[in-house]
Amino acid sequence: MRRPDELDKLTDDARAFLVEKLHLTDEDLSDIDSLIEYNETHAALMGLYAQACGEGLLWPDHLVEQFRELPERFDLGREFDEFMKWQDEIRAKKNATASEPVS
């Protein structure tokens, strides 16, 4: 068994975030858990962030910082850029909705 690294930690933290915010069960995340079990952590993380972005969830700052620190070591530059684009789009939608006048 390999030793856990920063990518494993971020993936675990992202999974916990989705469980908390979306009230997901182990069954809901069985595909993600299978990827993690077979050391496909990169794919699991991509699945988690795609699910969060698809649900319109903004990741908390501590998770964004963890992700920001990974690109050099794990060659995740393109993925991080895409993730940040999605996060910016979600933020813009939320800001636009918050500033709409209430009738």
Side-chain angles (χ1 to χ4, degrees):
M1 187 168 158
R2 70 180 181 81
R3 190 173 152 190
D5 56 29
E6 294 91 350
L7 183 59
D8 296 322
K9 170 127 177 57
L10 174 58
T11 303
D12 289 345
D13 291 350
R15 185 189 186 286
F17 171 70
L18 267 103
V19 166
E20 176 187 337
K21 293 296 181 182
L22 300 177
H23 309 288
L24 300 176
T25 65
D26 287 342
E27 184 176 319
D28 296 328
L29 292 169
S30 63
D31 292 341
I32 297 293
D33 291 340
S34 291
L35 290 169
I36 292 168
E37 183 180 333
Y38 290 103
N39 292 323
E40 296 292 337
T41 315
H42 177 268
L45 179 63
M46 298 304 100
L48 290 167
Y49 95 65
Q51 187 168 2
C53 290
E55 293 289 336
L57 289 178
L58 287 171
W59 277 21
D61 291 341
H62 74 279
L63 288 180
V64 174
E65 285 302 315
Q66 283 180 7
F67 199 170
R68 179 176 284 126
E69 294 170 2
L70 292 180
E72 281 184 25
R73 181 165 176 206
F74 294 97
D75 195 28
L76 295 172
R78 183 177 53 86
E79 289 89 343
F80 180 73
D81 291 343
E82 182 178 299
F83 167 77
M84 289 308 296
K85 180 181 170 194
W86 281 7
Q87 291 289 281
D88 289 343
E89 289 174 7
I90 292 167
R91 192 173 290 107
K93 285 178 186 176
K94 289 183 183 274
N95 288 339
T97 301
S99 64
E100 289 179 0
V102 177
S103 34

